[in-house]
Amino acid sequence: MAFSSVFRRGNVKELISNVSVYTSAVESSGGLSLIFKRWATKKTAGSTKNGRDSNPKYLGVKKFGGEKVEPGNIIVRQRGTRFHPGNYVGMGKDHTLFCLKEGHVRFERNKLTGRKWVHVDPVAGHVLHPVYTSDSTPAAEMEPL
């Protein structure tokens, strides 16, 4: 009978003991192909795609209008230019606004453009640089630097 030649009677223990667990094997004697695969001994834990968070950046206004500031004090920490530097206010490379002269903070908003400016009004009043004084001297009389 052709059917009996395809399926050979055998012991299951024989099939398992002759074949390595780590590799796949094909039994060619009876025409029956069996593939053995190694299975996991431990289940894998599910991974989450969330579970990360960045540190807080502490942005915002640090010195409010009317507060006294000294040179180097940070007035506003910001991303981009929500506030623009005005008189006696400098801007860092990360758009942080800081004080350049001792005085009081003043915020200003332009009515037409809506742009917000931060100024520092000096304590001793506005002192002009000697180049901009009213009694201007000709360039020939000025000393070379």
Side-chain angles (χ1 to χ4, degrees):
M1 203 162 154
F3 186 73
S4 64
S5 66
V6 173
F7 293 106
R8 195 180 110 213
R9 278 186 75 96
N11 194 354
V12 177
K13 196 170 185 180
E14 272 180 27
L15 287 172
I16 294 173
S17 64
N18 294 338
V19 179
S20 172
V21 176
Y22 296 102
T23 60
S24 64
V26 177
E27 185 185 340
S28 59
S29 61
L32 181 66
S33 64
L34 297 172
I35 298 174
F36 294 94
K37 292 186 178 177
R38 178 153 165 69
W39 53 86
T41 56
K42 298 274 186 193
K43 282 191 171 184
T44 58
S47 63
T48 60
K49 291 184 181 177
N50 302 329
R52 297 177 302 282
D53 198 8
S54 60
N55 295 330
K57 302 300 175 213
Y58 304 107
L59 302 176
V61 178
K62 306 300 177 191
K63 298 287 185 181
F64 294 92
E67 279 193 60
K68 187 172 173 151
V69 287
E70 296 174 354
N73 282 10
I74 292 174
I75 301 170
V76 180
R77 277 205 177 274
Q78 60 186 352
R79 293 288 170 264
T81 51
R82 287 176 57 96
F83 295 93
H84 292 267
N87 300 334
Y88 303 108
V89 175
M91 186 164 70
K93 67 178 184 178
D94 63 343
H95 300 105
T96 297
L97 301 183
F98 57 92
C99 177
L100 295 173
K101 199 166 196 178
E102 187 177 352
H104 297 278
V105 178
R106 177 172 51 91
F107 287 87
E108 176 190 347
R109 186 170 186 269
N110 191 322
K111 291 179 183 176
L112 294 176
T113 61
R115 181 174 278 193
K116 294 175 243 177
W117 296 86
V118 182
H119 303 284
V120 171
D121 298 325
V123 173
H126 183 67
V127 180
L128 279 177
H129 193 271
V131 173
Y132 301 110
T133 55
S134 61
D135 51 325
S136 59
T137 55
E141 295 178 10
M142 292 182 68
E143 300 174 5
L145 296 176

